[in-house]
Every structure is written in structure tokens, then in C-alpha cells.
Amino acid sequence: DVPGVPPNMMRQLIDQIRKTSAPAAVLLASRQGEDKVLLVAGITRDLVDRGLSAGNWVRDVAGVVGGSGGGKPDLAQAGGKLPEKLPEALTKAREVASAMLAG
């Protein structure tokens, strides 16, 4: 959870992590004002090559915060309208990531 961080900065943070760690799956969440949530997910190329998708991951998590989204297999973004559900969304993100990596 990175409160108030703009989307571009979130993508840059994910890129830095992906450059230094592999395999890596990162999902960052940020409250954007009183009624918005931003989610950005990124995975390393080796995970994409295994058939995993950041777009699918962020879409699954976005539903928890009343939103939707998607993107490329390696980097995706979503929004939502229920910031009070952010802790639940982060729990869902961990569950989905564990399932993705186990499969």
C-alpha cells in the first residue's frame, strides 16, 4: 500500500524491482483521494514466459475494490471506487499470486 503515489511512480517502482529480482510479482495499491483506488501489477519476463499475466492478476484484485482493469502480461493497471476495501484487496492479491505461482 503506497498512499497517494501517482501511477507513473508506481510503474517506475515495479520496473526497478523487476530489474533487480527474478522471478518477481509485484502489486502496488494506492488510495487516490477519498473514493478511488489505483492498482498496478507487474511480473518479470520469466513468469510471463510461464503463462502468467499481470493483467489477469490485477483484474482479479480490482473486483474487490469495485473496479476493473487490465493491461499487458508483464504490466497492468486497474482502478476501483471502494478504498475501504483495500486491505481485503491486498489479501486477495497475495492469494491470487500464490495460486498463480503454484500453478
Side-chain angles (χ1 to χ4, degrees):
D1 187 7
V2 287
V5 175
N8 287 342
M9 179 67 73
M10 293 170 75
R11 286 190 293 274
Q12 288 175 5
L13 288 168
I14 288 172
D15 284 343
Q16 288 180 1
I17 293 168
R18 291 188 303 177
K19 287 178 184 176
T20 61
S21 301
V26 181
L27 186 137
L28 299 177
S30 178
R31 292 175 193 256
Q32 303 287 309
E34 293 295 317
D35 62 348
K36 290 184 183 176
V37 174
L38 175 65
L39 305 168
V40 180
I43 61 175
T44 50
R45 176 60 48 194
D46 57 327
L47 295 178
V48 172
D49 291 345
R50 286 179 37 197
L52 306 179
S53 170
N56 293 343
W57 186 24
V58 81
R59 186 178 52 243
D60 289 346
V61 176
V64 177
V65 291
S68 63
K72 298 183 283 183
D74 66 328
L75 187 66
Q77 183 172 316
K81 299 178 182 179
L82 304 170
E84 66 276 8
K85 299 250 183 177
L86 196 49
E88 185 181 332
L90 293 173
T91 298
K92 175 77 170 183
R94 287 192 274 305
E95 292 170 357
V96 172
S98 292
M100 275 187 346
L101 294 170

